[in-house]
Amino acid sequence: MDFFEVVNPHVSELTKNEHLLFDYVVKNLNEIKNKSIREVADDCFVSTTTFLRFVRKIGFSGYSEFTTVIKYTILNQKKEEKVSPFVVSQKDYREEYLKNINESVRVIDKNSLITVGAYLKKKPIIYLFAKGMNKQLMQYAKYLFVAAGFLVVFPEDQSMRAVVQKQIKSDDLVFILTYQGKDEEWIRLMQRLKNTAHPLLVSITGADNNVVQNMSDINFYMFTDELFLNKMEITSHVSMLAILELILYQYLDNAEEGEYHLVFK
């Protein structure tokens, strides 16, 4: 049992104060796993009754199950990445590859696309957040949106992200790319933004239910096959790129006549 899988369905139901408790828990999983409920409650400046009520609200029967699942989650995260069971022919893989892209585009919610496109008409500052191989996708996304006349901020390392997030305002637009959707840094980032400026939070994640997906104002999800080569992930994220392009095309489709010189060849 994974901690984030348990809490996912309940995150959207939390009050502002409970979100603060959740934020503390996510940031301090390693410390909490060995503490008593009284110690954790003291650290959060709440009563043990309040903290126990919170633990039950996020899906646990009690504090014992809460810490047990945290220990299991941390232990599981430290295990060596599993080898991908990718043993299909190139022909079969090409077919699955195209199916994943087609399905990712097919299931896009049109209303969500229209909402983001309309928000872009306000010319917000666009903030991009991504790690690992998604950073290359975000570089391309930055190129696209800058070409369309937007001011785009893409902090690529953690120290810059810590500085930049303090500059985000309520009328800005934030894009987060994360396939797994349970990265602790992104959860903390979204928690902070929801409790302060609360810009429009748009995420692109995997199709599985996840924390980032549930914390987003708008989520687009993609389908893909997870692949690893020599213990390095080479999972295709091309569907994320397709979604980003469609968001921009939606905006351009509703732009004022003469605003852009757009040529189709």
Side-chain angles (χ1 to χ4, degrees):
M1 188 183 297
D2 180 84
F3 174 81
F4 294 104
E5 290 177 357
V6 174
V7 304
N8 274 344
H10 310 286
V11 172
S12 60
E13 303 167 4
L14 300 180
T15 65
K16 184 173 181 178
N17 287 336
E18 288 167 342
H19 270 296
L20 294 175
L21 292 178
F22 179 70
D23 189 38
Y24 175 82
V25 169
V26 171
K27 289 178 181 176
N28 297 279
L29 289 176
N30 274 303
E31 291 74 24
I32 288 173
K33 73 178 190 290
N34 295 317
K35 287 187 175 182
S36 68
I37 187 171
R38 183 176 297 280
E39 290 174 313
V40 178
D42 287 344
D43 291 340
C44 297
F45 303 103
V46 298
S47 67
T48 54
T49 302
T50 298
F51 194 81
L52 181 58
R53 190 185 305 118
F54 161 74
V55 164
R56 288 173 174 164
K57 188 169 182 178
I58 59 176
F60 300 97
S61 60
Y63 187 76
S64 177
E65 183 186 29
F66 171 73
T67 53
T68 298
V69 172
I70 287 176
K71 290 175 183 176
Y72 174 82
T73 301
I74 292 172
L75 179 64
N76 198 47
Q77 288 174 345
K78 291 179 180 178
K79 287 182 180 178
E80 185 176 341
E81 291 176 320
K82 63 180 181 180
V83 177
S84 171
F86 178 57
V87 285
V88 297
S89 68
Q90 283 194 28
K91 179 178 180 296
D92 289 338
Y93 180 65
R94 286 198 300 270
E95 291 177 355
E96 288 303 313
Y97 180 83
L98 292 174
K99 283 180 184 177
N100 284 331
I101 299 172
N102 288 336
E103 189 65 12
S104 297
V105 172
R106 188 186 68 80
V107 301
I108 290 177
D109 181 66
K110 182 65 175 177
N111 290 329
S112 295
L113 208 56
I114 291 172
T115 298
V116 180
Y119 202 88
L120 286 168
K121 290 194 72 173
K122 303 174 185 178
K123 290 292 183 177
I125 297 176
I126 298 175
Y127 289 86
L128 307 177
F129 291 94
K131 294 180 183 178
M133 60 195 303
N134 287 330
K135 289 169 69 172
Q136 280 65 49
L137 297 184
M138 278 304 203
Q139 286 286 4
Y140 178 62
K142 180 179 178 180
Y143 170 82
L144 288 178
F145 284 103
V146 167
F150 289 93
L151 175 58
V152 181
V153 181
F154 177 32
E156 296 193 44
D157 60 75
Q158 190 171 20
S159 59
M160 285 302 299
R161 291 193 291 266
V163 172
V164 164
Q165 64 180 270
K166 298 175 184 177
Q167 303 169 357
I168 300 174
K169 297 180 172 56
S170 59
D171 52 356
D172 295 332
L173 174 58
V174 173
F175 282 108
I176 298 176
L177 297 192
T178 167
Y179 178 71
Q180 297 292 343
K182 56 184 182 181
D183 185 284
E184 292 182 21
E185 183 184 349
W186 299 151
I187 294 170
R188 292 196 299 269
L189 169 68
M190 297 176 78
Q191 185 67 55
R192 182 184 186 280
L193 293 177
K194 287 170 78 74
N195 288 331
T196 53
H198 204 152
L200 183 67
L201 296 171
V202 180
S203 65
I204 303 177
T205 67
D208 292 340
N209 188 35
N210 58 74
V211 179
V212 169
Q213 182 185 91
N214 290 328
M215 293 183 72
S216 304
D217 295 315
I218 294 177
N219 173 257
F220 298 97
Y221 56 87
M222 56 169 278
F223 298 94
T224 191
D225 294 309
E226 292 185 59
L227 303 177
F228 294 86
L229 178 65
N230 297 328
K231 299 182 182 179
M232 293 182 65
E233 185 185 3
I234 58 168
T235 300
S236 173
H237 289 191
V238 69
S239 295
M240 284 186 171
L241 191 56
I243 293 169
L244 285 166
E245 289 180 327
L246 287 172
I247 289 171
L248 179 61
Y249 297 159
Q250 176 66 41
Y251 161 72
L252 294 174
D253 191 47
N254 294 321
E256 299 294 330
E257 188 174 349
E259 187 175 354
Y260 293 99
H261 180 60
L262 194 61
V263 179
F264 291 90
K265 293 185 178 180

